[in-house]
Structures are given as C-alpha cells and as structure tokens.
Amino acid sequence: MLSRVGSMVMLVAAAPSGLTAQGYPAAPRGHWAVGLSVGTASFAGATRGIGPTGEALTFAPYRPTMWGIGVTYGGGGGRVGLSAKYGEPGLGFRGAPSATDGGPAQGLLLIAENAYRLASFTGSISTRLVSLRGGPTLRPSLGAVVERWSAPGTPARMLLGGQGGMALQFALSGAFEAAIEGELGFTAASPFRPEDLPEEFRATSTWRKSLAVGVYWRFGR
C-alpha cells in the first residue's frame, strides 16, 4: 500500500514539469561568432575647392585595403556586433577642368599611396531580413563608427559617424559561415585638418562606401 502511494506522489510531482516542458519549450540560446574580413573602401567629399579657372578640385582619401576582426552575439534573428578595421588610405587629388573648344571636360587624378593610417571601430545591430531554407541569409545592419586618422608629422584626428550595411551570409562546413558585406558610412567632419589644407580648399563631410568578404566561426549554441 505504501509503495503505491509513493508511486502516485512521484507521478503527481513529475507531471507539472513535464507539461511545462511540452507547453513552454526553452527559448533558443544565442551564439557567439568571431571572424576575419578583408575588403576595400572608397571615399567621397572630405574637401572642396575651386581652381584658378573655376574648375572643381578635391582632396580625398583613396581606396585603402581594410583588414578587420569582428565578434557578434545573437541568434538567427537579432544580433549585436563589434568590429575593428585597419587600412592605409592613399591621398587622391582630383581636378575636373571646364570643357574647352566644345570638347568634353577632362579629369585629372593624382595619388599618393599609403598617406594615412585609418583605424575604424564599429558597434552595430542587425536583423534577419530574408532567409532561404538551408541557403543564404540577407541581414541589414545599423551602427555607430569611431575613426582614428593619422599621418606622419600631424596629430591624430578622431571622427564620429554612422553607417548602414547589408550582408549576405551563407553556411560553410561545420560551424563556419562566410559573408559578403557592403556598407555606407558618413561622418560630419573631414579626416583632414582645416589648417593643413591649401587656401582654396575647405573641409566638408565625408561619405564612405566599402565592400568586404569575411569568414566567421560560430560557437556557444
């Protein structure tokens, strides 16, 4: 008799936990991912000038190769991430003289390689926009950026800005995934110090477009 009562007590005690497990499944855990990336960036703006004959002139950073490391946390939906990138932009001088004799305007581009050192730090959030079963995932993102520009013989210059991005991610073998990442960034200030520019130039806001590929390792699921 006592053994039957004990068995019933055990069944009653176990029933709520079993119902809870069936009715309310545990939320999926997020995972961490760390990875490396390489890409290139192009810049627009930064300065504006007028030449002696009215032609438009610009100085702008020129197409660095950017190496990066990043870490993200989250699940298949929302994620948060931090990244750091480094590159050595050149210095591009571009002139666009007015057309003469009815011919087309001729552009001029002069480049000084590796003129600057750029370290970029980004904090971002992203979400899943489209995901195909067993296929790639499209993820838009928004973030805040801190850039440190430096050149030999001049003080470093810190810029704050924002950026938006879109990444196409797809699984590789095991816990690895690859991504193709495009970003559009903006800083209200120029990487150039106004006192370092020629008289005919003034500093302006700066736009940045970048494209990179990365490989990430996911863990902690």
Side-chain angles (χ1 to χ4, degrees):
M1 181 67 178
L2 291 176
S3 61
R4 291 183 179 179
V5 172
S7 299
M8 293 177 63
V9 170
M10 292 178 65
L11 288 172
V12 171
S17 61
L19 291 174
T20 301
Q22 295 178 7
Y24 302 95
R29 295 175 57 188
H31 62 256
W32 291 92
V34 294
L36 301 174
S37 66
V38 61
T40 186
S42 61
F43 298 85
T47 65
R48 182 178 300 167
I50 302 296
T53 60
E55 68 270 28
L57 305 174
T58 62
F59 275 117
Y62 190 77
R63 296 183 183 177
T65 297
M66 300 295 295
W67 299 89
I69 183 170
V71 57
T72 64
Y73 177 79
R79 297 180 185 177
V80 296
L82 296 172
S83 67
K85 296 181 179 180
Y86 175 81
E88 298 184 357
L91 177 61
F93 169 79
R94 187 182 298 274
S98 301
T100 58
D101 300 328
Q106 299 296 317
L108 174 66
L109 176 63
L110 301 176
I111 303 169
E113 297 288 350
N114 303 328
Y116 280 82
R117 308 292 182 267
L118 170 59
S120 177
F121 307 93
T122 304
S124 63
I125 57 174
S126 69
T127 187
R128 179 175 55 198
L129 180 63
V130 177
S131 182
L132 302 177
R133 183 180 297 274
T137 300
L138 195 62
R139 302 185 64 88
S141 65
L142 288 175
V145 183
V146 178
E147 296 179 346
R148 183 183 187 275
W149 292 81
S150 61
T154 62
R157 186 165 171 81
M158 304 293 292
L159 303 182
L160 299 178
Q163 73 175 36
M166 188 70 71
L168 180 65
Q169 298 178 336
F170 47 94
L172 299 177
S173 61
F176 289 91
E177 66 180 20
I180 302 173
E181 305 163 340
E183 296 170 346
L184 177 64
F186 174 81
T187 59
S190 170
F192 304 117
R193 297 162 54 89
E195 57 269 28
D196 295 335
L197 294 174
E199 292 183 1
E200 64 270 23
F201 285 87
R202 65 182 181 87
T204 67
S205 56
T206 308
W207 289 91
R208 169 181 49 82
K209 294 186 295 183
S210 62
L211 182 65
V213 294
V215 177
Y216 295 86
W217 173 53
R218 301 190 305 171
F219 64 97
R221 289 186 293 176

